[in-house]
């Protein structure tokens, strides 16, 4: 629940696709689970369904098409300018499928979160569910982490662990993971909004305690 009288934290959310995590955060802001207000949703893809979700919730939307920029740096600079017009306290990456420059990441260091569908540091990058199945791991899941210049390498702030069944397919596993994403992302945003979560060097701190990291699996592919 939000603390009475506390100003909602301004958020900007970046998406590229369906926006189901965006929806979970919209809902959590609306029902008071998260003391934050989404000021804008920005997509690099004009056809991202998440834009419709934002419009339905009366949140301003922008499309910044990366293909219209000559290089990564010029896109990131335009993106930064657009974001900073909203003065967010937290930048939320929710299925934003772009690699960001170090200059951009460092500008938002300690105030930018991402969600990645694996138990980091395992399975950084793409096709995480398929790789988890192929590796034969017994547990898989999803991680929310602070974004640092190392891709999918920032300190984890929240995670959900699920058991992998021998009958699991990429789809069945992905579905169970996604259901967990919709719980742990709003939870992490609420911690940040309530001042409980910080980045300290390369360590996430929750309520003043370090969030433990996991070991990397030996057999990860
Ligand atoms: C999620 O699986 C998230 O973990 C990954 O991209 C996907 C986005 O899904 N980073 P959605 O757009 O939030 O539905």
């Amino acid at each position: 629940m939000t603390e009475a009288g506390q100003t909602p934290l301004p958020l900007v959310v970046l998406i590229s696709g369906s926006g189901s995590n965006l929806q979970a955060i919209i809902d959590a802001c609306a029902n008071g689970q998260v003391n934050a207000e989404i000021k804008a949703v920005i997509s690099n893809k004009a056809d991202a369904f998440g834009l419709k979700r934002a419009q339905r919730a009366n949140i301003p939307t922008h499309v910044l098409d990366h293909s219209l920029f000559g290089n990564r740096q010029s896109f990131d600079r335009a993106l930064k300018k657009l974001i900073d017009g909203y003065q967010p306290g937290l930048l939320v990456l929710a299925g934003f499928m772009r690699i960001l420059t170090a200059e951009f990441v460092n500008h938002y260091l300690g105030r930018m979160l991402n969600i990645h569908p694996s138990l980091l540091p395992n399975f950084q990058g793409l096709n995480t569910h398929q790789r988890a199945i192929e590796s034969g791991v017994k547990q898989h899941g999803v991680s929310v982490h602070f974004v640092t210049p190392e891709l999918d390498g920032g300190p984890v702030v929240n995670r959900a662990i699920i058991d992998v069944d021998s009958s699991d397919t990429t789809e069945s596993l992905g579905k169970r993971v996604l259901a967990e994403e919709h719980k742990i992302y709003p939870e992490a945003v609420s911690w940040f909004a309530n001042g409980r979560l910080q980045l300290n060097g390369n360590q996430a701190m929750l309520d003043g305690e370090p969030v433990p990291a996991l070991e990397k699996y030996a057999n990860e592919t």
Side-chain angles (χ1 to χ4, degrees):
M1 279 292 131
T2 61
E3 286 172 39
Q6 201 180 311
T7 314
L9 181 77
L11 308 178
V12 169
V13 182
L14 305 188
I15 61 166
S16 299
S18 154
S20 67
N21 280 287
L22 164 68
Q23 188 68 58
I25 296 168
I26 291 174
D27 295 346
C29 290
N31 71 22
Q33 187 204 340
V34 174
N35 186 23
E37 186 183 341
I38 304 177
K39 297 289 186 186
V41 170
I42 303 170
S43 172
N44 64 315
K45 302 240 170 155
D47 61 354
F49 182 68
L51 291 168
K52 292 204 172 65
R53 298 180 189 268
Q55 284 152 7
R56 240 174 14 212
N58 293 317
I59 299 168
T61 59
H62 299 270
V63 175
L64 198 63
D65 182 348
H66 62 275
S67 69
L68 302 180
F69 291 81
N71 55 45
R72 210 174 274 288
Q73 195 176 53
S74 59
F75 172 74
D76 279 11
R77 284 187 181 159
L79 183 59
K80 178 170 136 223
K81 198 164 169 213
L82 184 55
I83 294 166
D84 285 352
Y86 289 98
Q87 297 188 293
L90 180 68
L91 183 57
V92 176
L93 308 186
F96 185 62
M97 301 303 284
R98 294 279 309 162
I99 293 174
L100 296 162
T101 56
E103 179 186 330
F104 182 96
V105 172
N106 285 326
H107 180 70
Y108 298 104
L109 199 63
R111 52 192 182 109
M112 172 160 51
L113 295 176
N114 182 41
I115 189 158
H116 182 77
S118 77
L119 292 177
L120 291 172
N122 298 287
F123 308 119
Q124 293 163 323
L126 298 174
N127 304 320
T128 57
H129 308 316
Q130 192 184 332
R131 287 160 61 208
I133 288 174
E134 283 166 3
S135 295
V137 293
K138 298 280 174 271
Q139 291 192 315
H140 184 50
V142 55
S143 311
V144 176
H145 64 96
F146 277 114
V147 179
T148 62
E150 190 198 336
L151 183 66
D152 299 330
V156 170
V157 308
N158 202 9
R159 63 171 68 85
I161 301 176
I162 62 165
D163 291 331
V164 181
D165 299 332
S166 52
S167 61
D168 261 321
T169 60
T170 305
E171 289 70 33
S172 67
L173 195 54
K175 206 170 156 194
R176 290 211 305 291
V177 169
L178 196 61
E180 295 300 322
E181 297 191 25
H182 300 158
K183 296 179 204 161
I184 69 163
Y185 214 177
E187 185 176 46
V189 174
S190 87
W191 291 340
F192 191 92
N194 292 337
R196 297 175 55 191
L197 184 65
Q198 284 102 24
L199 179 66
N200 186 356
N202 207 37
Q203 176 66 61
M205 306 292 289
L206 178 62
D207 297 330
E209 298 289 329
V211 179
L214 293 182
E215 294 288 313
K216 202 168 164 69
Y217 301 129
N219 59 346
E220 193 210 298
T221 53

